[in-house]
């Protein structure tokens, strides 16, 4: 085991709090593995050890990150989600295969899914937009977190008003997904897109209202003008 990994795990163990651990287990619907640290403590540890590894090569940082992820501990994966976006200028096209592997093998809750995808995969797709079809293919996965990842990877671009056509296509692909974590994911994606493309998202929601799960629908209209929200919720639309 790399000395950095040993030091990180030692510190996580020393700062663990059984009450925090139990609270997290109640908070998440899924069974999670946790040391028992709050988000602020994870950020502090991530920043501390980033200063120790930042001079390493990208491959070595990726390898260290995967070693942390293999633990399936929510805090260790959380550290990785804070480290990897710092390397976005060094991202290469082939890196998407690794990110996909991480989601498939190590992600088992919405918090780590969103943290990894919002920034790492989001940054990747803004650098290599022609790989968006690969992201769309995730919507066909049997893995709920891969399907959610297809949507939440476009959260930041959607918030900036980018990739609207792709946002709507991903929403189409996930439209009748029965998993509430996936519904919340694509509903959130539509909500972010609505901030700059309110009319287009409103029209999409109205067009698909009869098929869209209520959870996704409510997320999608959350940030719209009140008049549009009321109009969207009318039964005769």
């Amino acid at each position: 085991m790399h000395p950095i990994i040993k030091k990180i795990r030692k510190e996580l163990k020393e700062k663990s709090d059984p009450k925090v651990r139990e609270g997290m287990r109640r908070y998440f619907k899924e069974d999670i593995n946790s040391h028992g640290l709050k988000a602020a403590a994870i950020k502090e540890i991530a920043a501390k050890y980033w200063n120790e590894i930042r001079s390493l090569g990208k491959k070595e940082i990726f390898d260290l990150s995967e070693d942390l992820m293999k633990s399936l501990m929510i805090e260790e994966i959380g550290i990785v989600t804070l480290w990897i976006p710092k390397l976005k200028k060094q991202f290469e096209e082939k890196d998407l295969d690794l990110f996909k592997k991480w989601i498939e093998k190590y992600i088992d809750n919405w918090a780590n899914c969103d943290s990894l995808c919002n920034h790492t995969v989001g940054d990747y797709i803004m650098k290599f937009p022609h790989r968006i079809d690969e992201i769309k293919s995730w919507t066909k996965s049997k893995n709920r977190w891969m399907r959610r990842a297809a949507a939440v990877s476009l959260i930041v671009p959607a918030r900036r008003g980018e990739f609207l056509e792709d946002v709507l296509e991903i929403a189409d692909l996930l439209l009748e997904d029965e998993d509430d974590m996936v519904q919340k994911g694509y509903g959130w994606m539509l909500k972010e897109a609505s901030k700059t493309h309110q009319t287009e998202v409103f029209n999409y929601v109205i067009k698909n209202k009869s098929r869209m799960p209520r959870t996704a629908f409510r997320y999608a209209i959350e940030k719209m003008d009140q008049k549009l929200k009321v109009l969207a919720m009318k039964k005769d639309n």
Side-chain angles (χ1 to χ4, degrees):
M1 185 187 299
H2 195 286
I4 289 289
I5 301 295
K6 287 184 178 180
K7 289 199 288 184
I8 290 173
R9 288 183 174 151
K10 182 175 183 290
E11 187 162 348
L12 287 169
K13 186 175 181 179
E14 289 172 348
K15 294 184 175 180
S16 66
D17 185 334
K19 291 183 179 179
V20 173
R21 187 186 305 119
E22 184 58 33
M24 291 178 69
R25 286 175 177 167
R26 290 196 302 268
Y27 181 67
F28 288 91
K29 291 181 180 180
E30 305 79 30
D31 291 330
I32 63 163
N33 299 301
S34 170
H35 289 287
L37 278 77
K38 293 184 178 180
I42 298 168
K43 289 180 181 179
E44 183 179 322
I45 291 171
K48 174 182 175 180
Y49 289 99
W50 174 254
N51 287 331
E52 292 196 27
I53 69 167
R54 62 190 307 165
S55 62
L56 299 176
K58 185 185 107 176
K59 183 182 184 305
E60 190 168 359
I61 294 174
F62 275 12
D63 289 344
L64 287 171
S65 296
E66 183 151 10
D67 284 344
L68 287 173
M69 295 192 83
K70 286 176 181 177
S71 71
L72 302 181
M73 301 295 284
I74 191 169
E75 295 90 352
E76 295 186 34
I77 295 175
I79 289 169
V80 174
T81 70
L82 293 167
W83 281 355
I84 300 301
K86 297 179 185 296
L87 298 171
K88 63 183 180 181
K89 291 183 179 179
Q90 299 180 50
F91 284 176
E92 300 170 80
E93 190 166 343
K94 66 180 182 180
D95 292 337
L96 187 59
D97 294 334
L98 179 62
F99 300 153
K100 179 183 178 183
K101 172 189 170 184
W102 286 354
I103 299 166
E104 286 180 320
K105 293 189 68 173
Y106 309 126
I107 297 299
D108 60 6
N109 63 80
W110 62 262
N112 286 152
C113 179
D114 295 356
S115 296
L116 181 64
C117 294
N118 285 178
H119 302 291
T120 294
V121 184
D123 288 339
Y124 174 93
I125 209 64
M126 285 189 283
K127 186 172 183 178
F128 301 105
H130 60 281
R131 295 300 302 277
I132 191 68
D133 285 344
E134 171 67 17
I135 304 297
K136 291 173 186 175
S137 75
W138 298 356
T139 63
K140 304 301 183 184
S141 175
K142 293 181 180 180
N143 183 324
R144 70 193 304 203
W145 304 116
M146 286 300 303
R147 301 199 308 279
R148 181 179 173 100
V152 300
S153 293
L154 288 187
I155 292 294
V156 175
R159 188 179 296 153
R160 296 177 178 179
E162 301 173 20
F163 291 92
L164 177 63
E165 184 177 330
D166 301 296
V167 164
L168 298 181
E169 185 176 344
I170 289 172
D172 274 342
L173 293 167
L174 297 173
L175 189 63
E176 296 181 271
D177 199 293
E178 296 180 356
D179 192 303
D180 69 327
M181 287 291 103
V182 179
Q183 294 168 12
K184 290 175 182 178
Y186 88 78
W188 179 23
M189 175 186 65
L190 288 171
K191 175 173 68 177
E192 296 300 332
S194 77
K195 293 177 180 178
T196 49
H197 296 287
Q198 183 171 244
T199 299
E200 292 90 339
V201 175
F202 174 79
N203 290 339
Y204 179 86
V205 169
I206 294 301
K207 176 184 175 183
N208 294 287
K209 182 179 176 181
S210 64
R211 297 169 55 207
M212 185 180 291
R214 199 69 175 168
T215 297
F217 172 79
R218 289 191 173 276
Y219 267 74
I221 68 171
E222 185 179 345
K223 294 298 182 181
M224 291 184 183
D225 293 342
Q226 187 60 28
K227 289 182 179 179
L228 289 182
K229 287 173 70 174
V230 171
L231 188 59
M233 294 180 74
K234 283 185 177 181
K235 291 183 179 181
D236 57 352
N237 278 321

